[in-house]
């Protein structure tokens, strides 16, 4: 199982002060040293964390593949093509969201996506689409020409946190998931079942399969067991742990769990 370390969250801290500290390039080299298989970054349209210059340097200096997450905005796609990461992961983007909430609507954006995928592939950039675990969306992802799908595990992570964590009793409780333990357990089982079926289906279509969002040291094991998933992209939980342990150790701990 490959681990893509999403270092956006290091840039979130840097941008809070608008200084070059913590240094994103140091984070990249530390992640490589700790055995990350891939560096993942997201160039958001509002540039709230990763900046154009970060993309430029990371794509130039990384000794391991770079997975650049991006929207389908044509200006952003042009930047991706110019920087030539190993792969682009197309994600939905809303200005007001805290993070990427939910997968791409491939049906609604079919023509724009097809055009973006074609352009990226002409530039020798592999393409992954960040989608919800859903067979129809998986089929459409194949039809627009994607090489890979990354299943959004946010719904799974939210149910897990409400079932096993203390989220329900905190300020961050998810109102629509304030349900009995029995109901949450059933929801979690259903979500895992859907993920499993989608992974098998994606593989049968010849798509590579990744997963990510909201994965942490507690909930990752079930996801690492999913059939045909070859890569997980994890950011928030690793960078959060690094505050207490250092980034290298936080990545090592996650790698150990994936083994
Ligand atoms: N994969 C994709 C496509 C994402 O957009 C994100 C969030 O930036 C992640 C993985 C990592 O999510 P998290 O930070 O919750 O681990």
């Amino acid at each position: 199982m490959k681990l893509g370390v999403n270092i956006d969250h290091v840039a979130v801290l840097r941008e809070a002060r608008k200084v070059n500290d913590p240094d994103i390039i140091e984070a990249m080299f530390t992640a490589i040293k700790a055995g990350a298989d891939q560096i993942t970054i997201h160039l958001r349209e509002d540039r709230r964390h990763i900046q154009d210059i970060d993309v430029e340097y990371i794509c130039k200096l990384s000794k391991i593949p770079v997975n650049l997450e991006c929207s389908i905005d044509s200006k952003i796609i042009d930047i991706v093509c110019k920087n030539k990461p190993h792969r682009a992961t197309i994600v939905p983007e809303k200005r007001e969201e805290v993070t990427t909430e939910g997968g791409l609507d491939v049906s609604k954006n079919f023509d724009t996506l097809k055009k973006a995928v074609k352009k990226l592939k002409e530039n020798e950039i592999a393409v992954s689409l960040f989608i919800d675990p859903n067979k129809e969306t998986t089929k459409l992802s194949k039809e627009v020409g994607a090489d890979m799908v990354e299943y959004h595990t946010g719904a799974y992570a939210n149910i897990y946190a409400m079932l096993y964590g203390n989220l329900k009793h905190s300020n961050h409780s998810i109102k629509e998931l304030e349900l009995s333990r029995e109901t949450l357990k059933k929801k979690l089982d259903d979500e895992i079942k859907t993920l499993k079926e989608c992974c098998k289906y994606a593989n049968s279509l010849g798509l590579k399969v990744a997963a990510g969002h909201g994965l942490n040291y507690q909930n990752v094991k079930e996801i690492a067991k999913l059939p045909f998933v070859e890569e997980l992209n994890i950011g928030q939980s690793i960078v959060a742990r690094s505050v207490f342990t250092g980034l290298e150790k936080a990545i090592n701990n996650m790698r150990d769990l994936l083994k």
Side-chain angles (χ1 to χ4, degrees):
M1 177 67 69
K2 289 185 189 148
L3 174 62
V5 177
N6 186 323
I7 56 173
D8 292 351
H9 306 276
V10 174
V12 168
L13 187 54
R14 177 193 66 187
E15 292 303 309
R17 273 294 177 93
K18 302 276 178 212
V19 289
N20 193 21
D21 200 16
D23 183 347
I24 196 84
I25 303 300
E26 192 173 345
M28 175 193 77
F29 282 123
T30 306
I32 296 172
K33 195 169 146 215
D37 298 294
Q38 170 171 278
I39 299 294
T40 296
I41 46 172
H42 182 177
L43 182 70
R44 289 188 72 105
E45 287 171 28
D46 63 9
R47 306 297 197 272
R48 71 173 68 155
H49 38 60
I50 293 293
Q51 307 295 311
D52 297 54
I53 194 165
D54 301 328
V55 174
E56 202 181 315
Y57 278 104
I58 288 168
C59 287
K60 279 199 176 109
L61 297 174
S62 178
K63 301 180 184 99
I64 61 174
V66 176
N67 173 32
L68 180 50
E69 298 172 1
C70 61
S71 72
I72 43 171
D73 177 82
S74 62
K75 286 199 203 88
I76 293 278
I77 296 290
D78 284 346
I79 296 173
V80 178
C81 290
K82 196 177 100 200
N83 285 284
K84 307 239 180 298
H86 191 261
R87 188 196 306 135
T89 297
I90 305 181
V91 304
E93 233 181 80
K94 288 193 229 111
R95 290 276 158 123
E96 64 280 9
E97 70 192 355
V98 176
T99 180
T100 314
E101 293 153 6
L104 271 173
D105 187 337
V106 182
S107 170
K108 193 169 142 204
N109 298 293
F110 193 87
D111 293 334
T112 324
L113 271 168
K114 207 166 177 177
K115 221 171 110 195
V117 172
K118 185 168 176 282
K119 183 155 189 197
L120 290 162
K121 288 176 107 176
E122 280 167 2
N123 280 276
E124 298 197 313
I125 300 165
V127 183
S128 178
L129 301 188
F130 191 40
I131 60 171
D132 289 322
N134 172 295
K135 282 192 179 170
E136 185 55 27
T137 317
T138 306
K139 184 165 158 271
L140 291 172
S141 302
K142 176 73 184 174
E143 285 172 18
V144 296
D147 305 287
M148 186 174 207
V149 286
E150 177 172 341
Y151 285 122
H152 196 305
T153 48
Y156 160 83
N158 284 345
I159 301 167
Y160 192 104
M162 289 296 279
L163 177 60
Y164 295 118
N166 67 351
L167 208 59
K168 186 174 172 183
H169 309 289
S170 77
N171 291 342
H172 306 300
S173 178
I174 301 160
K175 289 279 166 267
E176 62 276 21
L177 290 176
E178 287 182 353
L179 305 164
S180 70
R181 286 205 182 280
E182 200 184 331
T183 312
L184 285 171
K185 180 78 183 69
K186 165 126 189 22
K187 270 185 158 305
L188 194 69
D189 290 345
D190 288 348
E191 194 64 33
I192 294 169
K193 191 164 164 251
T194 305
L195 277 159
K196 258 186 204 159
E197 282 167 6
C198 286
C199 291
K200 285 186 196 159
Y201 182 61
N203 177 262
S204 76
L205 297 177
L207 289 163
K208 289 173 173 249
V209 190
H213 206 281
L215 297 179
N216 60 34
Y217 297 84
Q218 287 75 41
N219 67 20
V220 77
K221 282 189 187 169
E222 280 300 320
I223 299 298
K225 281 194 270 181
L226 288 172
F228 305 111
V229 172
E230 59 183 71
E231 171 190 308
L232 299 179
N233 288 296
I234 308 181
Q236 165 81 24
S237 63
I238 291 178
V239 176
R241 182 169 286 201
S242 79
V243 171
F244 305 106
T245 67
L247 186 56
E248 204 171 334
K249 196 159 180 204
I251 293 172
N252 284 331
N253 289 164
M254 187 57 84
R255 286 208 57 82
D256 288 346
L257 283 174
L258 298 191
K259 276 183 213 151

